[in-house]
Amino acid sequence: TWMRILVAGASGLLGHALVPALLAGGHEVVAHGNRKGLDVSGDLTDRAVAHRLLAGVQPDAIVNLVALTNVDQCEKEPDAAFRLNVRVVENLVDGAGGVKETETAAKGSGPFFVQISTDQVYDGPGPHAEGAERILNTYALSKYAGELAALRANACVLRTNFFGPSAFEGRPSFSDWLIGMFRSKKPFTGFDDVLFNPLSMHTLCAMILRVLDARRGGLYNLGAREGFSKAEFGARIAQRFGLDASNMKRGRSSDVQLGAPRPTDMRTDCGRFEKDFGVTLPTLQQEIMSLGEAK
């Protein structure tokens, strides 16, 4: 079904991939962000601004990508983490109440809301099912609070992590960064003790489209099947692009001084998503092999 979709925070890494994917899916996209060339701008931490924006756009659905994702910065500036990761969600959810109902929206539900969250809400031996949260840092706490705010609406919350070629100049993804490090030959450490199961941005965008089409609310993990360590991920990225990985030393995250505590096992069990949306998610190795030529 055709929808007018407001993408809040479209000027970030995921927004650069999601907006073209939504347009290709036949939807009208209103892209919000703080960069020239976007459709609308405005400080969504300001309630009045958020409400005015929603009243003007009248979206059928909202995808919120606004976030402060720098984990150490969130630890140092919890007020900024709260404003961007919680208040923006509250303002969008509250403002959505003023959007006129359309035939696309289910009666009485207002715009459908998709909140992009994080796998950082988990720690301890994985894979983790929804409901097994263990919050270690301010970033995870603020994203978790943002989930609770989103779920007051007709919303789908996706706990995810992603990689793949960035279309955003100057903002590399984790896989881009690894490729750059291997090419530079500078020594660096790949963490053997940090486990995750990210999706490629291409697959994540396809799954967001699927969620929007189904208009199915709830809380879901969304990642690849069979995750592994960041060091192993690095080695397989190098292999995929025929790069020499000898400058990556395998080590432990506990050997490095980081500003905020980090979870070590963020692998998620995505069975609920697969069942409810009728998909089989790819393995992490399949996602790595699906990447196009490195820039």
PDB file of all heavy atoms in Angstrom, residues 216-242:
ATOM      1  N   ARG A 216       2.710  -3.969  11.426  1.00  0.00           N
ATOM      2  CA  ARG A 216       2.607  -4.837  12.598  1.00  0.00           C
ATOM      3  C   ARG A 216       3.452  -4.268  13.728  1.00  0.00           C
ATOM      4  O   ARG A 216       4.655  -4.099  13.581  1.00  0.00           O
ATOM      5  CB  ARG A 216       3.100  -6.237  12.231  1.00  0.00           C
ATOM      6  CG  ARG A 216       2.926  -7.218  13.378  1.00  0.00           C
ATOM      7  CD  ARG A 216       3.375  -8.625  13.040  1.00  0.00           C
ATOM      8  NE  ARG A 216       2.986  -9.477  14.136  1.00  0.00           N
ATOM      9  CZ  ARG A 216       2.209 -10.551  14.019  1.00  0.00           C
ATOM     10  NH1 ARG A 216       1.762 -10.915  12.848  1.00  0.00           N
ATOM     11  NH2 ARG A 216       1.884 -11.257  15.094  1.00  0.00           N
ATOM     12  N   GLY A 217       2.829  -3.958  14.846  1.00  0.00           N
ATOM     13  CA  GLY A 217       3.542  -3.381  15.985  1.00  0.00           C
ATOM     14  C   GLY A 217       4.191  -4.442  16.855  1.00  0.00           C
ATOM     15  O   GLY A 217       3.943  -5.632  16.702  1.00  0.00           O
ATOM     16  N   GLY A 218       5.036  -3.982  17.774  1.00  0.00           N
ATOM     17  CA  GLY A 218       5.679  -4.891  18.723  1.00  0.00           C
ATOM     18  C   GLY A 218       7.160  -4.614  18.833  1.00  0.00           C
ATOM     19  O   GLY A 218       7.696  -3.690  18.211  1.00  0.00           O
ATOM     20  N   LEU A 219       7.828  -5.433  19.629  1.00  0.00           N
ATOM     21  CA  LEU A 219       9.259  -5.292  19.895  1.00  0.00           C
ATOM     22  C   LEU A 219       9.989  -6.486  19.289  1.00  0.00           C
ATOM     23  O   LEU A 219       9.648  -7.638  19.600  1.00  0.00           O
ATOM     24  CB  LEU A 219       9.485  -5.242  21.410  1.00  0.00           C
ATOM     25  CG  LEU A 219      10.926  -5.283  21.912  1.00  0.00           C
ATOM     26  CD1 LEU A 219      11.685  -4.031  21.504  1.00  0.00           C
ATOM     27  CD2 LEU A 219      10.954  -5.444  23.423  1.00  0.00           C
ATOM     28  N   TYR A 220      10.962  -6.213  18.436  1.00  0.00           N
ATOM     29  CA  TYR A 220      11.638  -7.303  17.716  1.00  0.00           C
ATOM     30  C   TYR A 220      13.149  -7.111  17.668  1.00  0.00           C
ATOM     31  O   TYR A 220      13.630  -6.014  17.407  1.00  0.00           O
ATOM     32  CB  TYR A 220      11.142  -7.373  16.266  1.00  0.00           C
ATOM     33  CG  TYR A 220       9.698  -7.775  16.132  1.00  0.00           C
ATOM     34  CD1 TYR A 220       8.709  -6.803  16.004  1.00  0.00           C
ATOM     35  CD2 TYR A 220       9.319  -9.119  16.132  1.00  0.00           C
ATOM     36  CE1 TYR A 220       7.368  -7.168  15.874  1.00  0.00           C
ATOM     37  CE2 TYR A 220       7.987  -9.484  16.010  1.00  0.00           C
ATOM     38  CZ  TYR A 220       7.022  -8.514  15.878  1.00  0.00           C
ATOM     39  OH  TYR A 220       5.704  -8.869  15.765  1.00  0.00           O
ATOM     40  N   ASN A 221      13.882  -8.235  17.851  1.00  0.00           N
ATOM     41  CA  ASN A 221      15.283  -8.289  17.471  1.00  0.00           C
ATOM     42  C   ASN A 221      15.338  -8.467  15.960  1.00  0.00           C
ATOM     43  O   ASN A 221      14.538  -9.218  15.397  1.00  0.00           O
ATOM     44  CB  ASN A 221      15.974  -9.501  18.103  1.00  0.00           C
ATOM     45  CG  ASN A 221      16.080  -9.396  19.612  1.00  0.00           C
ATOM     46  OD1 ASN A 221      16.189  -8.298  20.161  1.00  0.00           O
ATOM     47  ND2 ASN A 221      16.056 -10.539  20.283  1.00  0.00           N
ATOM     48  N   LEU A 222      16.294  -7.787  15.320  1.00  0.00           N
ATOM     49  CA  LEU A 222      16.443  -7.922  13.871  1.00  0.00           C
ATOM     50  C   LEU A 222      17.926  -7.954  13.525  1.00  0.00           C
ATOM     51  O   LEU A 222      18.615  -6.933  13.539  1.00  0.00           O
ATOM     52  CB  LEU A 222      15.736  -6.752  13.161  1.00  0.00           C
ATOM     53  CG  LEU A 222      15.797  -6.753  11.640  1.00  0.00           C
ATOM     54  CD1 LEU A 222      15.331  -8.073  11.043  1.00  0.00           C
ATOM     55  CD2 LEU A 222      15.000  -5.588  11.076  1.00  0.00           C
ATOM     56  N   GLY A 223      18.422  -9.152  13.262  1.00  0.00           N
ATOM     57  CA  GLY A 223      19.838  -9.315  12.932  1.00  0.00           C
ATOM     58  C   GLY A 223      20.029 -10.541  12.058  1.00  0.00           C
ATOM     59  O   GLY A 223      19.073 -11.220  11.685  1.00  0.00           O
ATOM     60  N   ALA A 224      21.278 -10.813  11.745  1.00  0.00           N
ATOM     61  CA  ALA A 224      21.606 -12.001  10.958  1.00  0.00           C
ATOM     62  C   ALA A 224      21.552 -13.234  11.853  1.00  0.00           C
ATOM     63  O   ALA A 224      21.656 -13.131  13.077  1.00  0.00           O
ATOM     64  CB  ALA A 224      23.007 -11.841  10.369  1.00  0.00           C
ATOM     65  N   ARG A 225      21.399 -14.386  11.221  1.00  0.00           N
ATOM     66  CA  ARG A 225      21.526 -15.624  11.982  1.00  0.00           C
ATOM     67  C   ARG A 225      23.011 -15.935  12.143  1.00  0.00           C
ATOM     68  O   ARG A 225      23.827 -15.540  11.320  1.00  0.00           O
ATOM     69  CB  ARG A 225      20.811 -16.779  11.255  1.00  0.00           C
ATOM     70  CG  ARG A 225      19.288 -16.711  11.442  1.00  0.00           C
ATOM     71  CD  ARG A 225      18.563 -17.865  10.777  1.00  0.00           C
ATOM     72  NE  ARG A 225      18.718 -17.781   9.344  1.00  0.00           N
ATOM     73  CZ  ARG A 225      19.180 -18.775   8.575  1.00  0.00           C
ATOM     74  NH1 ARG A 225      19.545 -19.920   9.118  1.00  0.00           N
ATOM     75  NH2 ARG A 225      19.279 -18.614   7.284  1.00  0.00           N
ATOM     76  N   GLU A 226      23.353 -16.610  13.243  1.00  0.00           N
ATOM     77  CA  GLU A 226      24.735 -17.068  13.478  1.00  0.00           C
ATOM     78  C   GLU A 226      25.741 -15.915  13.485  1.00  0.00           C
ATOM     79  O   GLU A 226      26.455 -15.703  12.515  1.00  0.00           O
ATOM     80  CB  GLU A 226      25.160 -18.092  12.409  1.00  0.00           C
ATOM     81  CG  GLU A 226      24.291 -19.333  12.353  1.00  0.00           C
ATOM     82  CD  GLU A 226      24.456 -20.088  11.040  1.00  0.00           C
ATOM     83  OE1 GLU A 226      25.528 -19.973  10.413  1.00  0.00           O
ATOM     84  OE2 GLU A 226      23.506 -20.768  10.645  1.00  0.00           O
ATOM     85  N   GLY A 227      25.758 -15.156  14.568  1.00  0.00           N
ATOM     86  CA  GLY A 227      26.746 -14.088  14.706  1.00  0.00           C
ATOM     87  C   GLY A 227      28.089 -14.646  15.127  1.00  0.00           C
ATOM     88  O   GLY A 227      28.222 -15.828  15.441  1.00  0.00           O
ATOM     89  N   PHE A 228      29.110 -13.783  15.122  1.00  0.00           N
ATOM     90  CA  PHE A 228      30.424 -14.177  15.644  1.00  0.00           C
ATOM     91  C   PHE A 228      31.163 -12.940  16.151  1.00  0.00           C
ATOM     92  O   PHE A 228      30.588 -11.851  16.207  1.00  0.00           O
ATOM     93  CB  PHE A 228      31.252 -14.965  14.618  1.00  0.00           C
ATOM     94  CG  PHE A 228      31.070 -14.567  13.176  1.00  0.00           C
ATOM     95  CD1 PHE A 228      31.609 -13.390  12.688  1.00  0.00           C
ATOM     96  CD2 PHE A 228      30.368 -15.398  12.302  1.00  0.00           C
ATOM     97  CE1 PHE A 228      31.464 -13.033  11.356  1.00  0.00           C
ATOM     98  CE2 PHE A 228      30.215 -15.046  10.954  1.00  0.00           C
ATOM     99  CZ  PHE A 228      30.761 -13.866  10.483  1.00  0.00           C
ATOM    100  N   SER A 229      32.428 -13.118  16.513  1.00  0.00           N
ATOM    101  CA  SER A 229      33.175 -12.019  17.138  1.00  0.00           C
ATOM    102  C   SER A 229      33.531 -10.945  16.119  1.00  0.00           C
ATOM    103  O   SER A 229      33.556 -11.191  14.905  1.00  0.00           O
ATOM    104  CB  SER A 229      34.455 -12.545  17.787  1.00  0.00           C
ATOM    105  OG  SER A 229      35.415 -12.841  16.784  1.00  0.00           O
ATOM    106  N   LYS A 230      33.831  -9.749  16.633  1.00  0.00           N
ATOM    107  CA  LYS A 230      34.233  -8.645  15.758  1.00  0.00           C
ATOM    108  C   LYS A 230      35.554  -8.951  15.061  1.00  0.00           C
ATOM    109  O   LYS A 230      35.774  -8.549  13.914  1.00  0.00           O
ATOM    110  CB  LYS A 230      34.300  -7.336  16.545  1.00  0.00           C
ATOM    111  CG  LYS A 230      32.906  -6.860  16.969  1.00  0.00           C
ATOM    112  CD  LYS A 230      32.851  -5.390  17.326  1.00  0.00           C
ATOM    113  CE  LYS A 230      31.391  -4.956  17.481  1.00  0.00           C
ATOM    114  NZ  LYS A 230      31.256  -3.528  17.784  1.00  0.00           N
ATOM    115  N   ALA A 231      36.433  -9.704  15.741  1.00  0.00           N
ATOM    116  CA  ALA A 231      37.705 -10.101  15.114  1.00  0.00           C
ATOM    117  C   ALA A 231      37.442 -11.042  13.941  1.00  0.00           C
ATOM    118  O   ALA A 231      38.014 -10.882  12.852  1.00  0.00           O
ATOM    119  CB  ALA A 231      38.609 -10.771  16.141  1.00  0.00           C
ATOM    120  N   GLU A 232      36.552 -12.012  14.153  1.00  0.00           N
ATOM    121  CA  GLU A 232      36.200 -12.955  13.085  1.00  0.00           C
ATOM    122  C   GLU A 232      35.516 -12.224  11.936  1.00  0.00           C
ATOM    123  O   GLU A 232      35.770 -12.504  10.763  1.00  0.00           O
ATOM    124  CB  GLU A 232      35.300 -14.058  13.661  1.00  0.00           C
ATOM    125  CG  GLU A 232      34.908 -15.146  12.677  1.00  0.00           C
ATOM    126  CD  GLU A 232      36.102 -15.910  12.098  1.00  0.00           C
ATOM    127  OE1 GLU A 232      37.166 -16.000  12.756  1.00  0.00           O
ATOM    128  OE2 GLU A 232      35.968 -16.405  10.961  1.00  0.00           O
ATOM    129  N   PHE A 233      34.652 -11.270  12.272  1.00  0.00           N
ATOM    130  CA  PHE A 233      33.976 -10.445  11.264  1.00  0.00           C
ATOM    131  C   PHE A 233      35.032  -9.724  10.414  1.00  0.00           C
ATOM    132  O   PHE A 233      34.957  -9.715   9.177  1.00  0.00           O
ATOM    133  CB  PHE A 233      33.060  -9.437  11.962  1.00  0.00           C
ATOM    134  CG  PHE A 233      32.301  -8.516  11.038  1.00  0.00           C
ATOM    135  CD1 PHE A 233      31.164  -8.953  10.369  1.00  0.00           C
ATOM    136  CD2 PHE A 233      32.708  -7.197  10.860  1.00  0.00           C
ATOM    137  CE1 PHE A 233      30.449  -8.098   9.520  1.00  0.00           C
ATOM    138  CE2 PHE A 233      32.011  -6.335  10.017  1.00  0.00           C
ATOM    139  CZ  PHE A 233      30.878  -6.793   9.345  1.00  0.00           C
ATOM    140  N   GLY A 234      36.032  -9.132  11.080  1.00  0.00           N
ATOM    141  CA  GLY A 234      37.118  -8.441  10.369  1.00  0.00           C
ATOM    142  C   GLY A 234      37.858  -9.372   9.427  1.00  0.00           C
ATOM    143  O   GLY A 234      38.111  -9.036   8.263  1.00  0.00           O
ATOM    144  N   ALA A 235      38.190 -10.585   9.924  1.00  0.00           N
ATOM    145  CA  ALA A 235      38.928 -11.556   9.105  1.00  0.00           C
ATOM    146  C   ALA A 235      38.113 -11.943   7.873  1.00  0.00           C
ATOM    147  O   ALA A 235      38.654 -12.056   6.762  1.00  0.00           O
ATOM    148  CB  ALA A 235      39.245 -12.789   9.945  1.00  0.00           C
ATOM    149  N   ARG A 236      36.785 -12.095   8.045  1.00  0.00           N
ATOM    150  CA  ARG A 236      35.941 -12.516   6.909  1.00  0.00           C
ATOM    151  C   ARG A 236      35.696 -11.368   5.921  1.00  0.00           C
ATOM    152  O   ARG A 236      35.539 -11.615   4.726  1.00  0.00           O
ATOM    153  CB  ARG A 236      34.626 -13.093   7.431  1.00  0.00           C
ATOM    154  CG  ARG A 236      34.840 -14.394   8.206  1.00  0.00           C
ATOM    155  CD  ARG A 236      33.540 -15.094   8.473  1.00  0.00           C
ATOM    156  NE  ARG A 236      33.687 -16.158   9.450  1.00  0.00           N
ATOM    157  CZ  ARG A 236      32.814 -17.147   9.614  1.00  0.00           C
ATOM    158  NH1 ARG A 236      31.724 -17.196   8.845  1.00  0.00           N
ATOM    159  NH2 ARG A 236      32.993 -18.071  10.525  1.00  0.00           N
ATOM    160  N   ILE A 237      35.677 -10.141   6.437  1.00  0.00           N
ATOM    161  CA  ILE A 237      35.582  -8.970   5.540  1.00  0.00           C
ATOM    162  C   ILE A 237      36.842  -8.902   4.674  1.00  0.00           C
ATOM    163  O   ILE A 237      36.779  -8.693   3.453  1.00  0.00           O
ATOM    164  CB  ILE A 237      35.397  -7.653   6.344  1.00  0.00           C
ATOM    165  CG1 ILE A 237      33.972  -7.562   6.917  1.00  0.00           C
ATOM    166  CG2 ILE A 237      35.737  -6.432   5.507  1.00  0.00           C
ATOM    167  CD1 ILE A 237      32.879  -7.149   5.946  1.00  0.00           C
ATOM    168  N   ALA A 238      38.011  -9.102   5.298  1.00  0.00           N
ATOM    169  CA  ALA A 238      39.282  -9.075   4.563  1.00  0.00           C
ATOM    170  C   ALA A 238      39.282 -10.154   3.471  1.00  0.00           C
ATOM    171  O   ALA A 238      39.654  -9.897   2.319  1.00  0.00           O
ATOM    172  CB  ALA A 238      40.451  -9.279   5.520  1.00  0.00           C
ATOM    173  N   GLN A 239      38.824 -11.332   3.848  1.00  0.00           N
ATOM    174  CA  GLN A 239      38.766 -12.458   2.905  1.00  0.00           C
ATOM    175  C   GLN A 239      37.834 -12.137   1.723  1.00  0.00           C
ATOM    176  O   GLN A 239      38.173 -12.388   0.569  1.00  0.00           O
ATOM    177  CB  GLN A 239      38.257 -13.684   3.666  1.00  0.00           C
ATOM    178  CG  GLN A 239      38.526 -14.988   2.995  1.00  0.00           C
ATOM    179  CD  GLN A 239      38.119 -16.161   3.892  1.00  0.00           C
ATOM    180  OE1 GLN A 239      37.301 -16.023   4.812  1.00  0.00           O
ATOM    181  NE2 GLN A 239      38.692 -17.322   3.632  1.00  0.00           N
ATOM    182  N   ARG A 240      36.681 -11.538   2.036  1.00  0.00           N
ATOM    183  CA  ARG A 240      35.685 -11.217   0.994  1.00  0.00           C
ATOM    184  C   ARG A 240      36.281 -10.293  -0.067  1.00  0.00           C
ATOM    185  O   ARG A 240      35.997 -10.410  -1.250  1.00  0.00           O
ATOM    186  CB  ARG A 240      34.456 -10.565   1.650  1.00  0.00           C
ATOM    187  CG  ARG A 240      33.512  -9.801   0.710  1.00  0.00           C
ATOM    188  CD  ARG A 240      32.750 -10.746  -0.214  1.00  0.00           C
ATOM    189  NE  ARG A 240      31.931 -10.028  -1.184  1.00  0.00           N
ATOM    190  CZ  ARG A 240      32.338  -9.596  -2.359  1.00  0.00           C
ATOM    191  NH1 ARG A 240      33.600  -9.776  -2.753  1.00  0.00           N
ATOM    192  NH2 ARG A 240      31.527  -8.973  -3.186  1.00  0.00           N
ATOM    193  N   PHE A 241      37.133  -9.335   0.384  1.00  0.00           N
ATOM    194  CA  PHE A 241      37.670  -8.340  -0.547  1.00  0.00           C
ATOM    195  C   PHE A 241      39.135  -8.608  -0.926  1.00  0.00           C
ATOM    196  O   PHE A 241      39.777  -7.755  -1.532  1.00  0.00           O
ATOM    197  CB  PHE A 241      37.494  -6.936   0.034  1.00  0.00           C
ATOM    198  CG  PHE A 241      36.047  -6.540   0.150  1.00  0.00           C
ATOM    199  CD1 PHE A 241      35.422  -6.450   1.390  1.00  0.00           C
ATOM    200  CD2 PHE A 241      35.285  -6.303  -0.986  1.00  0.00           C
ATOM    201  CE1 PHE A 241      34.075  -6.114   1.496  1.00  0.00           C
ATOM    202  CE2 PHE A 241      33.937  -5.970  -0.896  1.00  0.00           C
ATOM    203  CZ  PHE A 241      33.340  -5.880   0.349  1.00  0.00           C
ATOM    204  N   GLY A 242      39.624  -9.790  -0.563  1.00  0.00           N
ATOM    205  CA  GLY A 242      40.991 -10.163  -0.939  1.00  0.00           C
ATOM    206  C   GLY A 242      42.043  -9.258  -0.329  1.00  0.00           C
ATOM    207  O   GLY A 242      43.040  -8.928  -0.968  1.00  0.00           O
TER     208      GLY A 242
END
